[in-house]
């Protein structure tokens, strides 16, 4: 379950927050059971798993709202939700914030790409004007009902306009009211090191993508540089994709899952993980509830 300290307060002090990527209630549950208090609802991971497609802006706002709502019903962890570009202009951003917040988001991330957007570690990105993104951030801040719902501003400017311009954009987004800044896809260790001191005043996050454009560092190394939050958004999909490929290949070759059993949860273990015994016990409790005093079961006044 989430810490009693809110996310805003936790971001302002050490240790760095490590948020693994999740894409449905099942991965959120497993991550929470593994001890994580903050989860990153990855738009890329949703696109990979729900659509079997790349992260190029194909996932809709309504799909993400539905997924966040199901996650919130299952876990108490803080949910940082990737809202891509906000799904439109400033008015669309306002609606996105309201719906995501109502669904259970703890923080909502929007980026300054133009549509169709791309994964932050793909080439060919196009940016919107700085003034337009400034307005979208202000719309996001104005739309939230609670100050504890954080607005994260991401810039993809390094790949398009260069590192210095990316820092300038991020600083302007801070001035617009963003609670957390995210400079996506720095290419070198010196660039990573320069980001936190260049953007004082608000927490700064880092993104670790296995095989992506940014050098892969540990949470401790990023904390020493001044980062307050690190996400591993698509790691779970890459791990499961390899496992699934090996499982299906084994099944196809042998006609049985027995050779793979040592790498699987069995039926009982999986049911224990998802809480089947507790759910069945809860159902039995309601089945045995007596009717209200003075009324016969099945009758109406």
């Amino acid at each position: 379950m989430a810490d009693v300290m809110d996310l805003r307060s936790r971001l302002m002090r050490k240790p760095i927050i490590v948020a693994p990527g999740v894409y449905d209630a099942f991965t959120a549950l497993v991550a929470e059971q593994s001890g994580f208090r903050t989860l990153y609802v990855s738009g890329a991971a949703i696109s990979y798993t729900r659509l079997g497609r790349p992260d190029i802006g194909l996932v809709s706002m309504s799909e993400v709202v539905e997924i966040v709502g199901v996650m919130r019903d299952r876990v108490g962890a803080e949910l940082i939700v990737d809202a891509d570009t906000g799904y439109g202009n400033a008015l669309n951003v306002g609606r996105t914030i309201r719906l995501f917040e109502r669904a259970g988001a703890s923080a909502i991330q929007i980026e300054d790409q133009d549509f169709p957007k791309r994964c932050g570690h793909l080439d060919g990105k196009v940016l919107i004007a700085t003034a337009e993104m400034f307005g979208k951030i202000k719309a996001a801040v104005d739309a939230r009902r609670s100050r504890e719902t954080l607005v994260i501003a991401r810039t993809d400017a390094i790949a398009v306009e260069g590192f210095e311009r990316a820092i300038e954009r991020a600083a302007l987004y801070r001035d617009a009211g963003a609670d957390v800044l995210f400079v996506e896809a720095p290419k070198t260790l010196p660039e990573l090191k320069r980001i936190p001191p260049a953007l004082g005043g608000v927490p700064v996050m880092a993104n670790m993508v296995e095989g992506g454009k940014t050098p892969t560092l540990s949470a401790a190394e990023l904390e020493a540089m001044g980062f307050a939050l690190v996400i591993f958004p698509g790691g779970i999909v890459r791990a499961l994709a390899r496992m699934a490929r090996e499982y299906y290949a084994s099944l196809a070759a042998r006609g049985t899952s027995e050779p793979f059993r040592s790498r699987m949860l069995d039926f009982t273990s999986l049911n224990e993980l998802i809480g089947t015994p507790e759910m069945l016990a809860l159902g039995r409790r309601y089945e045995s509830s007596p009717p209200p005093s003075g009324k016969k079961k099945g009758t109406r006044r």
Side-chain angles (χ1 to χ4, degrees):
M1 300 296 286
D3 197 298
V4 293
M5 186 184 299
D6 61 60
L7 181 59
R8 182 184 296 277
S9 298
R10 292 176 61 216
L11 285 167
M12 298 304 293
R13 62 187 67 188
K14 294 182 180 181
I16 188 173
I17 296 174
V18 179
V22 296
Y23 57 83
D24 61 7
F26 182 76
T27 51
L29 176 64
V30 175
E32 185 179 63
Q33 289 181 349
S34 299
F36 289 100
R37 298 171 176 173
T38 306
L39 311 177
Y40 184 79
V41 184
S42 165
I46 291 172
S47 188
Y48 299 155
T49 58
R50 189 180 181 99
L51 306 181
R53 299 289 187 182
D55 179 21
I56 53 173
L58 300 177
V59 177
S60 68
M61 177 187 68
S62 59
E63 288 175 305
V64 180
V65 168
E66 178 186 1
I67 290 168
V68 172
V70 174
M71 286 186 188
R72 177 50 70 217
D73 183 59
R74 189 64 184 94
V75 301
E78 296 154 336
L79 300 177
I80 301 173
V81 184
D82 178 5
D84 287 349
T85 64
Y87 309 101
N89 64 17
L91 297 179
N92 296 105
V93 167
R95 181 167 184 258
T96 297
I97 296 295
R98 289 190 297 273
L99 293 180
F100 278 28
E101 184 178 40
R102 189 180 307 156
S106 307
I108 302 163
Q109 172 195 305
I110 58 174
E111 64 199 41
D112 58 5
Q113 285 195 57
D114 203 351
F115 193 83
K117 62 90 62 187
R118 295 177 184 268
C119 168
H121 290 252
L122 289 176
D123 295 326
K125 297 183 285 187
V126 179
L127 305 181
I128 61 175
T130 304
E132 182 180 353
M133 183 63 175
F134 191 94
K136 290 170 78 166
I137 295 167
K138 288 183 68 67
V141 171
D142 289 345
R144 63 184 175 189
R145 298 190 64 182
S146 170
R147 185 177 176 275
E148 300 312 316
T149 302
L150 305 185
V151 174
I152 301 175
R154 164 178 148 179
T155 180
D156 287 78
I158 288 179
V160 182
E161 300 175 342
F163 181 81
E164 298 300 336
R165 182 57 180 154
I167 295 298
E168 292 175 7
R169 277 181 172 257
L172 286 171
Y173 302 162
R174 174 191 59 198
D175 295 342
D179 302 294
V180 180
L181 298 177
F182 176 12
V183 180
E184 173 64 303
K187 299 177 182 178
T188 66
L189 192 59
E191 285 185 349
L192 265 173
K193 289 181 177 179
R194 287 181 60 192
I195 292 172
L199 298 171
V202 296
V204 180
M205 65 182 278
N207 179 17
M208 295 291 101
V209 177
E210 299 83 1
K213 296 182 181 296
T214 302
T216 303
L217 301 177
S218 69
E221 290 171 315
L222 291 165
E223 180 183 298
M225 293 179 185
F227 287 94
L229 168 66
V230 56
I231 60 172
F232 293 79
I236 183 60
V237 182
R238 282 182 276 279
L240 291 178
R242 177 170 178 174
M243 178 70 75
R245 177 185 286 175
E246 293 173 357
Y247 167 76
Y248 289 128
S250 175
L251 181 60
R254 297 171 175 81
T256 175
S257 61
E258 284 303 309
F260 219 81
R261 282 285 298 278
S262 64
R263 302 172 64 186
M264 301 166 61
L265 294 181
D266 64 15
F267 181 78
T268 300
S269 297
L270 180 59
N271 277 287
E272 289 174 349
L273 185 153
I274 61 177
T276 301
E278 293 81 0
M279 289 290 288
L280 294 177
L282 180 63
R284 287 192 294 270
R285 191 183 80 182
Y286 289 121
E287 290 170 1
S288 61
S289 297
S293 177
K295 295 183 183 180
K296 293 183 180 180
K297 191 174 181 180
T299 62
R300 297 181 178 178
R301 288 183 181 271

